[in-house]
Amino acid sequence: MTVDTAAQLLKATVDELSRRAPAVIAAAADQLRGIILGLHFGDGSRSELRADHSRLVVTGPNGETPHVEVYFDDRAMNLLFDLERKPVDQVWSQSLDVRGDRQQVLAVWRTFQVLSQRGSGLRAVQSLWRGYRDRNPQRWGQPAELPVDTRSRNPQHASNTGWHALDYLDHRYAQDIAKASSTVGGAVYTDARSLWDGYESKPWWQFADVVDTDLMETMQACKDRVSREFQRIVPDREPKAELYDLMREYPAREGKGLRPTLTIATCCALGGRDEDAVRAAAAVELFHNGFLVHDDIADESTHRRNEPTLHEAHGIGLAVNTGDAMNLLAVDAVLSNLPTLGLARTLGLIHEIMHMCRETVEGQAIELGWIRHLTVPKTDQDYFDMSTKKTGWYTCISPCRLGAICAGETDPGKLDLFTEAFRLIGIAFQIQDDVLNLLGDEVLYGKEPLGDLLEGKRTVMMIHLFREIAPKRRPRLLDIIRLSRTEKRFADAEEILAAMHEVGSIEYAVKVADRLAHEGVRRFEEDLAFVPENEAKALLRQIANYVTTRPL
Amino acid sequence: MPANLRPRSASCTEQPVIALGPEGPFPRVRLRRVLERRWLHYAFLSRDHALGMVANVAWLGPGLEAGDAAPRCTAILLVHKRGEGWCASQFNTITSTPLWSAFQQPHAPRMPGPLTLTSTSASPAVDLQLARSSRPCTSQCAWFAPDQHLRWQSETGVIARGRWTFQDQIFDNVEAIGYHERVRGYWGWPELGGWVFGFANDPGGARDQAPPAAFVFTLIQPRGPGDTAAGSVMVWRNGRLRRHFPRRCVTFAVRGQLQRDKVQQVPALSKLFGVPPMEPIPQQLMISARMGDDWVTYDYHCDAAARVVIPSETSLRSFSVHEVIGPVHVEGCISGEHFAFDTYGIVEFAGGADDG
């Protein structure tokens, strides 16, 4: 998207933050709530900003009367965001006009405080704004004068560095040294800080809190790191075509990289090293892919991640064998931690992996039982329990617990603190996935449209449908879901979808997911308060909030 | 017999007299209390910067138990090979006797003497001939807590030649230049807080002569109020200490965080215990010092680090000394003479024992 106007810049910023730092958007939306904000920029462009649940929506003027209107002149753009100066240094008289109810104006002010103060540290956002400023210097006010530094400076050094060590770092290495190539970390700018200025000492080990980071960039880095480990683990020997190539190819398909990110980020948040968590993360990925291969056979799925499922492409026999091999190799990956993490942590990992696998197969059994016995569960709680077992443990809960163990945290009490927050987030995530399967784009979602309905998957929408639909229509719907996958026609799936729309099942599921996600975020902040506020925890926070701001 | 296996001396019943340090003469007075400490510290970098070593031999005062009157000695050796990481002994490195030290065995400059440090597993190890080229600084003292203190004296420009063993690789006739220090004091780790310390030697000049310039700094950050920190920067030119910048004339700043993957925890046994997570190490350290027309800057980038976990006698959290190797640019002007050099330096970021 071209960013030529201030309105476009605002939209691009909100879009970037939605993808990279959902926690910032969720916090800003929480301040804005029901207020419609009209923005009139100095370049003549206009836009409206409103909150939709935990999302921020930027549109052009659409005829509604905004509750609060803000008129900027060019100079006031510095107020919103500046690369070098605090907003308070940028206030110019008569550069900003705000109209509206006082309480609502204050809410708008808080919204922009959240956006600018929490979002401005991200390299991607800085890059966006720097680009706009460089392309449109005439629309950017001159910075306000800073107080003159009266400290004496060495005449031979003053010209290029300033005198004090802090000035030196700030001037010679303006806007940070190059981004570190670490997996987690380096996605936000960090200011230089003084340890000793001749009068006051600040311990070298006391770092400033980092609350937000770049989810997209770090997730990709984690995914790449684990992919490399994955390729290293899979043996380079025969039989390639029938086994090892399939093992390499299948996980390389496009995925989000959520599990590796959770494992590595939790390890780093608790003081561990990226390197310590990589093998455990690769093991979870191997288990996950092994389960998917078998799951696709059980569900008779035809597509996975935009490509034919393994059994469709290579036959059921090879697919089953490849899934088995992935599970075996995953055990090997866990054991390979022995030389680096030691016996105690490796045993902790094995224990955790065993628990994860048991939960997963139990969840799978519950769901397959519903399908085999042609029943639809009565309550949402039945679905929550099944979903937690089938996907929650290996998607969210266990990756975090494994990461904590890699960092040396084996206290069951501490490990359990990760469970509830990520259980709720995991269920919300799964419900959203189910909704996306009904409404989402196939390319984005990666599975065939209405695949869940064709498979007869018992989702929250399905449960709600059978609970709410008129009794006289229930037998017809039951007849459809009792058909096997091969007997079911696309029109049958569309008929169920129409019924879901009719009784509001999808809206209901979105609300349930939203409620669970918010509860999960709340538990995250409360239960995990013991984890230091570092960049890795900031990443976990973004993942927790990703569920609340995910576009549906 | 190795220095760390010295036989115990007779028990001591005299009351300790400790104010701002032990009664003189400094090196020979006995350790009397549990937390009294004496160290000899060595750090060297090969001239091509491919190898680095840090060693510390520490004596801790006698225990409280009856008959436990002799100081306890521990010694650790770390050898770093660029691109391959660190190789470290446990705290039981076997040391040569007597340990080389210009402070304890005064000798003429450029007269070599042996220093042998060997892990009980034979690697890492160093077998060196050390020769002094420079004069030490005067003894310095940092005071913290009601009766605790740390005194140290630095000697830079120490020239080393000999054999280094890193894992199963042996490097003969390695030429290195480095730093030696003696420490004496009485402290508990939580009260001490932490420190930032380091040095750099100008690699230019003749190989058997003192480095044209050398830089040593210390910043001790005790648990007490922020203004109780002690710090100094010292600059040597051609073997002579030319300027000592006191704490009001120096500033320290840091930026970024070193990648955690570049930090290795040692000794190996520490991984078996519940060692708390490591603190992040800064990525970059900048020091400036100025006094009158004299000034100096030290611009250091951390490259690889070893976290040496030291049990704390008085708190649950262990004390960690992070030995860091990285490139540095030093520039300054002393008495109207401008100097600048690029080399590798060793920096210590230490701390972490404070429970509170």
Side-chain angles (χ1 to χ4, degrees):
Chain A
M1 176 186 170
T2 316
V3 178
D4 285 328
T5 66
Q8 287 170 347
L9 179 63
L10 178 69
K11 178 157 176 47
T13 305
V14 169
D15 289 348
E16 281 289 292
L17 286 174
S18 299
R19 288 187 300 143
R20 294 175 185 273
V24 178
I25 293 293
D30 190 42
Q31 296 297 339
L32 198 59
R33 306 223 171 165
I35 300 167
I36 300 173
L37 170 65
L39 294 153
H40 306 252
F41 296 103
D43 60 6
S45 62
R46 293 173 59 188
S47 58
E48 277 186 13
L49 187 69
R50 71 184 72 208
D52 173 17
H53 295 290
S54 292
R55 304 164 191 93
L56 279 183
V57 182
V58 183
T59 59
N62 58 11
E64 281 187 82
T65 308
H67 302 111
V68 176
E69 289 198 84
V70 183
Y71 295 80
F72 294 89
D73 75 357
D74 285 341
R75 297 171 303 166
M77 286 299 285
N78 299 29
L79 263 178
L80 280 181
F81 192 99
D82 191 278
L83 297 177
E84 282 124 23
R85 316 224 187 279
K86 289 181 287 188
V88 72
D89 294 328
Q90 299 297 321
V91 179
W92 296 66
S93 63
Q94 299 185 357
S95 64
L96 184 70
D97 186 9
V98 185
R99 297 172 193 176
D101 171 74
R102 181 186 296 175
Q103 292 303 323
Q104 292 180 330
V105 166
L106 288 173
V108 166
W109 185 254
R110 290 195 300 272
T111 303
F112 276 89
Q113 261 193 326
V114 169
L115 284 176
S116 60
Q117 291 184 0
R118 287 181 59 178
S120 61
L122 268 61
R123 288 170 187 274
V125 175
Q126 295 237 345
S127 166
L128 189 68
W129 279 71
R130 189 183 293 120
Y132 174 78
R133 189 175 65 172
D134 292 348
R135 279 194 302 278
N136 305 283
Q138 75 284 0
R139 293 182 195 158
W140 200 278
Q142 291 300 310
E145 286 293 327
L146 286 180
V148 176
D149 185 354
T150 54
R151 292 173 297 187
S152 61
R153 290 165 186 272
N154 184 293
Q156 297 175 52
H157 242 60
S159 57
N160 56 353
T161 68
W163 171 240
H164 285 255
L166 198 59
D167 297 344
Y168 186 101
L169 288 178
D170 279 340
H171 287 80
R172 175 163 286 194
Y173 298 96
Q175 290 309 326
D176 212 348
I177 47 183
K179 179 191 179 307
S181 57
S182 57
T183 314
V184 176
V188 294
Y189 286 116
T190 50
D191 288 332
R193 60 196 173 89
S194 172
L195 298 186
W196 173 252
D197 60 3
Y199 296 89
E200 176 98 21
S201 164
K202 298 205 176 104
W204 65 263
W205 57 90
Q206 282 183 6
F207 282 77
D209 288 352
V210 177
V211 180
D212 298 295
T213 189
D214 190 325
L215 173 65
M216 209 170 67
E217 195 175 293
T218 317
M219 219 168 184
Q220 187 61 45
C222 290
K223 195 179 146 197
D224 293 346
R225 180 83 185 267
V226 171
S227 294
R228 288 197 297 276
E229 184 67 17
F230 199 94
Q231 298 300 326
R232 196 188 64 74
I233 290 171
V234 177
D236 185 19
R237 63 164 183 256
E238 294 296 338
K240 286 185 180 170
E242 292 78 22
L243 182 62
Y244 293 126
D245 284 352
L246 302 184
M247 290 174 71
R248 282 205 178 80
E249 176 268 333
Y250 190 75
R253 297 178 180 187
E254 197 55 43
K256 297 180 197 73
L258 177 67
R259 282 168 298 274
T261 309
L262 284 171
T263 305
I264 295 174
T266 309
C267 177
C268 292
L270 290 169
R273 310 187 310 161
D274 307 1
E275 178 65 28
D276 294 338
V278 167
R279 286 171 296 281
V284 176
E285 280 303 87
L286 275 163
F287 275 120
H288 167 60
N289 282 283
F291 289 146
L292 283 187
V293 170
H294 290 168
D295 195 35
D296 285 342
I297 295 169
D299 295 345
E300 301 173 44
S301 299
T302 57
H303 284 74
R304 172 71 65 181
R305 296 170 184 160
N306 300 320
E307 290 181 46
T309 49
L310 212 59
H311 68 275
E312 284 283 313
H314 301 280
I316 290 180
L318 279 181
V320 169
N321 192 51
T322 304
D324 290 344
M326 286 176 171
N327 288 336
L328 278 175
L329 219 55
V331 177
D332 205 24
V334 178
L335 288 174
S336 70
N337 283 297
L338 260 175
T340 50
L341 298 186
L343 186 62
R345 282 189 239 180
T346 307
L347 283 175
L349 291 176
I350 292 171
H351 179 79
E352 191 60 38
I353 291 268
M354 291 299 293
H355 183 84
M356 177 189 85
C357 291
R358 193 168 62 242
E359 293 284 351
T360 307
V361 293
E362 284 177 7
Q364 179 79 338
I366 293 170
E367 188 179 44
L368 290 174
W370 289 342
I371 294 171
R372 176 158 179 80
H373 302 302
L374 307 173
T375 56
V376 176
K378 294 276 185 290
T379 66
D380 293 348
Q381 190 59 45
D382 294 330
Y383 174 84
F384 297 165
D385 293 343
M386 183 280 296
S387 170
T388 301
K389 280 178 171 292
K390 189 190 167 191
T391 58
W393 274 92
Y394 83 79
T395 303
C396 292
I397 303 170
S398 286
C400 293
R401 293 170 61 105
L402 289 165
I405 294 168
C406 290
E409 185 57 78
T410 50
D411 175 359
K414 290 270 178 65
L415 293 179
D416 285 347
L417 291 173
F418 285 92
T419 304
E420 184 58 13
F422 283 96
R423 182 186 76 83
L424 294 164
I425 289 163
I427 299 171
F429 194 83
Q430 187 57 51
I431 295 173
Q432 289 177 346
D433 251 10
D434 296 342
V435 171
L436 282 172
N437 184 259
L438 301 186
L439 306 177
D441 188 306
E442 181 185 357
V443 176
L444 288 176
Y445 181 65
K447 290 178 73 172
E448 74 270 48
L450 305 189
D452 286 352
L453 293 181
L454 291 168
E455 287 166 19
K457 196 171 169 186
R458 273 53 165 174
T459 60
V460 167
M461 289 86 78
M462 182 77 84
I463 295 167
H464 180 263
L465 172 66
F466 275 86
R467 211 166 47 220
E468 299 297 325
I469 196 84
K472 62 180 179 184
R473 295 179 58 190
R474 211 169 280 160
R476 164 65 189 151
L477 296 177
L478 274 173
D479 286 343
I480 293 176
I481 68 160
R482 281 170 182 161
L483 294 172
S484 72
R485 165 94 192 212
T486 47
E487 293 168 331
K488 229 175 266 169
R489 294 166 300 132
F490 200 73
D492 295 327
E494 284 184 322
E495 188 179 337
I496 294 180
L497 180 64
M500 285 178 173
H501 278 301
E502 200 180 312
V503 297
S505 301
I506 293 168
E507 294 76 16
Y508 172 79
V510 170
K511 279 185 188 160
V512 169
D514 211 43
R515 178 174 57 78
L516 291 169
H518 278 92
E519 178 63 10
V521 171
R522 189 184 66 77
R523 292 297 296 260
F524 175 89
E525 298 296 349
E526 284 179 10
D527 295 354
L528 302 183
F530 75 96
V531 182
E533 290 291 344
N534 50 38
E535 202 167 338
K537 186 183 179 185
L539 183 63
L540 292 175
R541 176 176 289 114
Q542 304 311 319
I543 292 173
N545 281 274
Y546 170 69
V547 190
T548 64
T549 60
R550 199 176 178 196
L552 294 174
Chain B
M1 180 181 285
N4 52 344
L5 296 179
R6 188 178 299 170
R8 294 180 171 190
S9 61
S11 63
C12 173
T13 55
E14 300 148 67
Q15 288 300 307
V17 180
I18 296 175
L20 284 179
E23 293 172 320
F26 184 2
R28 294 192 178 84
V29 74
R30 278 189 300 169
L31 301 173
R32 294 161 188 264
R33 292 205 285 179
V34 178
L35 297 180
E36 259 197 286
R37 301 168 200 270
R38 186 158 69 87
W39 287 356
L40 289 177
H41 186 76
Y42 306 87
F44 293 94
L45 284 163
S46 64
R47 292 215 179 244
D48 61 0
H49 312 310
L51 292 168
M53 76 81 107
V54 177
N56 203 63
V57 185
W59 289 266
L60 182 68
L64 294 173
E65 297 82 9
D68 189 8
R72 282 156 286 170
C73 180
T74 54
I76 187 167
L77 169 67
L78 291 82
V79 175
H80 177 260
K81 182 159 185 272
R82 187 132 53 101
E84 294 187 33
W86 296 83
C87 177
S89 70
Q90 306 290 345
F91 284 111
N92 58 356
T93 296
I94 300 164
T95 64
S96 56
T97 305
L99 279 161
W100 183 93
S101 175
F103 301 114
Q104 294 186 350
Q105 294 96 35
H107 56 274
R110 292 182 287 285
M111 178 188 288
L115 175 74
T116 307
L117 301 165
T118 312
S119 166
T120 51
S121 61
S123 177
V126 289
D127 184 2
L128 306 174
Q129 288 291 320
L130 303 186
R132 16 184 325 240
S133 72
S134 309
R135 295 177 185 223
C137 70
T138 51
S139 172
Q140 299 177 67
C141 185
W143 171 84
F144 42 85
D147 62 346
Q148 299 192 11
H149 68 278
L150 186 155
R151 292 174 78 175
W152 73 99
Q153 196 170 11
S154 310
E155 176 170 355
T156 188
V158 180
I159 296 163
R161 282 194 184 84
R163 166 180 286 201
W164 298 48
T165 306
F166 174 85
Q167 294 169 354
D168 55 354
Q169 306 167 54
I170 294 175
F171 303 90
D172 278 319
N173 299 316
V174 175
E175 291 194 11
I177 187 162
Y179 171 89
H180 173 52
E181 179 188 76
R182 63 171 171 172
V183 176
R184 179 78 193 232
Y186 174 74
W187 72 83
W189 295 111
E191 291 81 8
L192 174 69
W195 70 67
V196 186
F197 151 82
F199 71 92
N201 286 305
D202 184 348
R207 298 207 156 201
D208 58 346
Q209 299 291 322
F215 182 97
V216 175
F217 64 89
T218 312
L219 175 66
I220 296 177
Q221 302 183 292
R223 181 163 69 178
D227 63 350
T228 56
S232 71
V233 163
M234 292 178 286
V235 178
W236 278 257
R237 300 298 313 275
N238 300 312
R240 282 178 173 271
L241 176 63
R242 290 287 294 277
R243 199 61 73 228
H244 177 281
F245 296 91
R247 67 179 197 141
R248 296 285 188 222
C249 299
V250 300
T251 67
F252 287 66
V254 291
R255 168 170 240 166
Q257 294 182 9
L258 180 66
Q259 285 178 52
R260 287 177 181 274
D261 282 351
K262 291 190 170 185
V263 187
Q264 195 174 323
Q265 184 172 311
V266 298
L269 278 176
S270 68
K271 291 176 188 163
L272 296 181
F273 303 109
V275 175
M278 65 181 171
E279 306 290 352
I281 299 169
Q283 169 75 51
Q284 191 181 4
L285 169 68
M286 176 66 208
I287 300 168
S288 70
R290 183 193 175 198
M291 196 161 57
D293 288 335
D294 294 344
W295 60 272
V296 63
T297 56
Y298 176 92
D299 185 356
Y300 182 83
H301 290 252
C302 300
D303 192 27
R307 177 195 187 192
V308 185
V309 180
I310 302 171
S312 169
E313 298 84 4
T314 55
S315 65
L316 289 174
R317 291 172 66 89
S318 52
F319 187 79
S320 294
V321 180
H322 302 90
E323 305 284 356
V324 187
I325 289 183
V328 60
H329 174 77
V330 181
E331 188 176 353
C333 182
I334 304 289
S335 302
E337 291 175 19
H338 184 269
F339 65 94
F341 60 91
D342 289 283
T343 184
Y344 271 66
I346 293 179
V347 169
E348 286 183 355
F349 289 97
D354 195 349
D355 293 321

